[in-house]
Amino acid sequence: MSTRTVTVLISGTGTNLQALIDARQARRLDLEFVQVVSNRPEAPGLRRAQQAGIPVTVVDHTEFADREAFDRELANTVAQGAPDLVVLAGFMRILGPAMLQRFENRMINLHPSLLPLYRGTDTYRRALEAGDREHGASVHFVTAELDGGPVISQVRIPVETGDTPERLEARLAPREHDLLVATVELFTRHPVQCCHGSITIDDKPLARPLELQADARLPV
Ligand SMILES: Nc1nc2c(c(=O)[nH]1)N[C@@H](CN(C=O)c1ccc(C(=O)N[C@@H](CCC(=O)O)C(=O)O)cc1)CN2
Ligand SMILES: NCC(=O)N[C@@H]1O[C@H](COP(=O)([O-])[O-])[C@@H](O)[C@H]1O
C-alpha cells in the first residue's frame, strides 16, 4: 500500500520539513500531514508546521524520568494520528522499543552521511578528517541498530578543497531537501516495504540504494 498520511518528527530548524511542506503545496507530494512532533519545545520547525496549518505536538524528552517513558509517550502521541509513514527529519533522539515495535517498517530517517559510513552524529567533521573525496546523505528505515537500517536512497556531493564541516553541511543541505522529498514521493507512488535487512519496491527487491539524479528525482 502506498503512503497517504505522514507524521514528521523534528528537533530543530525544520528546513527538511519545510521542503516537504513546499513540495505538497506545489502538488508534487500527494499526501496529508497528520502532525509534526518535536522533542524540543523551542524547535523553530514547529513554527513552520503551524504556518502551514499542520497540528503540532511537543513531547519534551527532558520531562520524562527515563528514555523508556519518553519513548512510550512519543509512540502514543504518534499512534493517535495513525500515519502510514513516520519521517524523522532532524529528529535527534535515539528511539527505543515502544516506537520501533509500533512503527518499524514504516519509519524512515534522513541521515547526513553515505551510510554505512559515519553512523551517529558529527558526520561532516568525520568525513573531512578521513580525507573523503565525497560526502552525502541517506534515507533509511529506522531500526534498533542506530542508523543501521536498510538504505532506500542516497545523494552524493564532492568534498571541495578547504571544506569545513560548516561549508560541507551548507552545500549538502539543499540536496538533502531534494533527497527527502523524492524519497517521500516514492512512498506515495509505490508500495515500499522493509525489512529483515532488505527493501522491496513494487514487490521487486532493491539491490542498492537509489541515487538521486541531477533532476532531483529517483530512478524508479
Ligand atoms: N532506534 C533508532 N533511533 C534513531 C535512529 C535509528 O536509526 N534508530 N536514527 C536517529 C537519527 N540520528 C542520525 O541520523 C541520530 C540522532 C540522535 C543521536 C544521538 O546521539 N542522540 C542523543 C541526544 C542528542 C540530542 O538530544 O541532541 C541521545 O539520544 O542520547 C544519534 C543519531 C534518530 N533515532
Ligand atoms: N542524526 C540525524 C541528523 O543529524 N539529521 C540531520 O539534521 C538536519 C536537520 O535539519 P533541519 O532541522 O533543518 O531539517 C539534517 O541535516 C539531517 O541530515
Side-chain angles (χ1 to χ4, degrees), residues 34-104:
V34 175
Q35 65 177 324
V36 169
V37 183
S38 174
N39 65 300
R40 293 184 178 280
E42 75 282 6
L46 289 168
R47 187 87 189 104
R48 296 176 188 271
Q50 289 168 323
Q51 287 173 342
I54 302 169
V56 301
T57 308
V58 173
V59 181
D60 183 345
H61 66 279
T62 66
E63 292 183 350
F64 294 85
D66 54 39
R67 276 180 182 279
E68 291 70 26
F70 165 71
D71 208 50
R72 280 195 302 275
E73 181 60 21
L74 182 63
N76 290 337
T77 300
V78 175
Q80 282 170 4
D84 296 329
L85 183 67
V86 181
V87 179
L88 277 58
F91 184 73
M92 297 304 289
R93 299 299 294 180
I94 298 171
L95 297 175
M99 279 293 291
L100 294 170
Q101 284 159 16
R102 305 232 338 221
F103 301 105
E104 197 161 11

Side-chain angles (χ1 to χ4, degrees), residues 182-204:
T183 306
V184 172
E185 180 183 29
L186 171 74
F187 275 77
T188 67
R189 296 178 186 274
H190 303 272
V192 184
Q193 280 149 346
C194 172
C195 253
H196 305 300
S198 62
I199 296 168
T200 62
I201 301 175
D202 294 326
D203 296 324
K204 301 185 189 74

